[in-house]
Amino acid sequence: MNIFETHAHYDDDAFDKDRDFLLRQMNKEGIDYIVNIGCSMDNSREIVEFVKKYDFLYGTVGVHPSDIDELTEKDMKELEELSKEEKILAIGEIGLDYHYDNVDKELQQRWFIAQLEIAKRRNLPVVIHSRDAAKDTLDIIKKHHNGVTPGIIHCFSYGVEMAREYLNMGYYIGVGGVVTFKNAKKLKEVVEYTPLDRIVLETDAPYLAPTPYRGKRNCSLYLTHVAEEIAALKGVTVEEVCATTYQNSKNVYCI
Ligand code: NI
């Protein structure tokens, strides 16, 4: 079984001790592609270099909504330049996160829109992060993006109604370790509802490890557990889940 990992953060400190060792196991274990996702200006710069070290590693550049406080127009210009680098496939992760009270919603919206505009100009896919901000994210995407380039709604955390909106606009649903949790009723319903040809596999490593590794450091090798749960929910084989999501990921990232 070959797997396409659409969302991981191998530049994270959690991998400092064994990053190279771990990444070198990936191909042997059937992880054919990994996309390492950008979160800040600094780490977007790093990712451009990091992805050159491994054949199977690709990257995205973008600023996460919790990292937008000090952004400037100059940063946006630089981000657009970084997006032209080799092996950079998308703009992300970008979006809105209202989970904590101390966020400036308007500022988040401003930089989310600015980064969607970069994706449009560059004709690149987007990787969307949205937490506790369902309505504003949907409104902005409808108005400013609406599937003009492909995209993944990463770590999907809303219900079936919201999934329908994104599917209608042509986006893909990113499903990770959370789907294996017993209490993840809403996400299980979304997976049942979503056609398999619109789902992609992701870890968000080092976060959100699936059962039986819940609470531990996550990595792409655990994606088989996510694929097994999706297979059970949809009544198909795990091979079919891996093969279909693999092709979906190639479609969305255009590789
Ligand atoms: Ni992430």
Side-chain angles (χ1 to χ4, degrees), residues 107-139:
L107 205 58
Q108 286 195 17
Q109 291 167 16
R110 173 185 168 187
W111 295 117
F112 179 29
I113 294 166
Q115 294 182 90
L116 288 172
E117 297 296 336
I118 294 175
K120 282 199 279 192
R121 280 197 297 277
R122 297 275 306 114
N123 200 25
L124 287 172
V126 289
V127 179
I128 305 294
H129 171 104
S130 176
R131 182 161 65 152
D132 298 344
K135 185 178 184 303
D136 285 355
T137 310
L138 183 66
D139 288 349

Side-chain angles (χ1 to χ4, degrees), residues 7-9 37-39 64 93 129 154 204-205 207:
H7 192 123
H9 303 277
I37 304 289
C39 293
H64 187 283
E93 54 189 290
H129 171 104
H154 143 68
D204 209 19
Y207 309 106

Side-chain angles (χ1 to χ4, degrees), residues 1-234:
M1 273 188 310
N2 295 71
I3 284 179
F4 193 127
E5 153 78 286
T6 61
H7 192 123
H9 303 277
Y10 283 107
D11 55 299
D12 192 280
D13 296 350
F15 298 105
D16 279 355
K17 286 203 175 110
D18 59 351
R19 180 176 296 109
D20 186 61
F21 176 78
L22 192 62
L23 286 171
R24 289 192 188 284
Q25 287 179 54
M26 293 295 171
N27 274 188
K28 278 178 259 167
E29 301 290 337
I31 311 295
D32 284 3
Y33 292 91
I34 294 175
V35 182
N36 201 86
I37 304 289
C39 293
S40 66
M41 285 307 299
D42 274 349
N43 105 310
S44 292
R45 291 180 196 112
E46 283 166 21
I47 285 169
V48 165
E49 298 307 315
F50 178 43
V51 297
K52 291 175 184 165
K53 293 182 184 160
Y54 304 87
D55 286 354
F56 56 88
L57 194 64
Y58 291 80
T60 71
V61 294
V63 182
H64 187 283
S66 59
D67 239 302
I68 48 95
D69 284 356
E70 289 167 9
L71 279 180
T72 63
E73 290 297 341
K74 191 163 160 269
D75 290 327
M76 289 300 102
K77 288 211 176 68
E78 185 185 352
L79 201 66
E80 187 155 351
E81 288 309 305
L82 290 172
S83 78
K84 297 173 183 170
E85 293 276 345
E86 208 186 329
K87 298 181 84 181
I88 298 302
L89 303 180
I91 303 296
E93 54 189 290
I94 59 174
L96 303 175
D97 194 327
Y98 297 168
H99 187 67
Y100 300 104
D101 289 338
N102 59 348
V103 298
D104 185 332
K105 294 180 180 175
E106 276 172 26
L107 205 58
Q108 286 195 17
Q109 291 167 16
R110 173 185 168 187
W111 295 117
F112 179 29
I113 294 166
Q115 294 182 90
L116 288 172
E117 297 296 336
I118 294 175
K120 282 199 279 192
R121 280 197 297 277
R122 297 275 306 114
N123 200 25
L124 287 172
V126 289
V127 179
I128 305 294
H129 171 104
S130 176
R131 182 161 65 152
D132 298 344
K135 185 178 184 303
D136 285 355
T137 310
L138 183 66
D139 288 349
I140 285 175
I141 287 186
K142 271 192 171 161
K143 186 165 172 217
H144 295 275
H145 195 256
N146 207 340
V148 288
T149 66
I152 297 170
I153 314 299
H154 143 68
C155 196
F156 196 82
S157 58
Y158 302 125
V160 166
E161 288 301 313
M162 208 41 88
R164 178 182 299 133
E165 296 271 6
Y166 287 111
L167 292 167
N168 283 344
M169 286 188 283
Y171 296 96
Y172 290 73
I173 305 290
V175 178
V178 174
V179 78
T180 66
F181 301 169
K182 272 211 171 64
N183 57 359
K185 190 166 163 273
K186 206 165 56 166
L187 181 58
K188 290 179 201 280
E189 282 169 10
V190 166
V191 168
E192 282 167 356
Y193 171 78
T194 303
L196 187 56
D197 65 5
R198 301 292 290 285
I199 292 174
V200 296
L201 301 181
E202 59 173 33
T203 56
D204 209 19
Y207 309 106
L208 298 173
T211 307
Y213 305 104
R214 190 170 180 176
K216 303 218 169 76
R217 185 183 74 172
N218 199 3
C219 82
S220 311
L221 301 174
Y222 302 161
L223 278 173
T224 45
H225 297 276
V226 175
E228 278 165 12
E229 181 65 27
I230 294 172
L233 288 166
K234 299 198 81 63

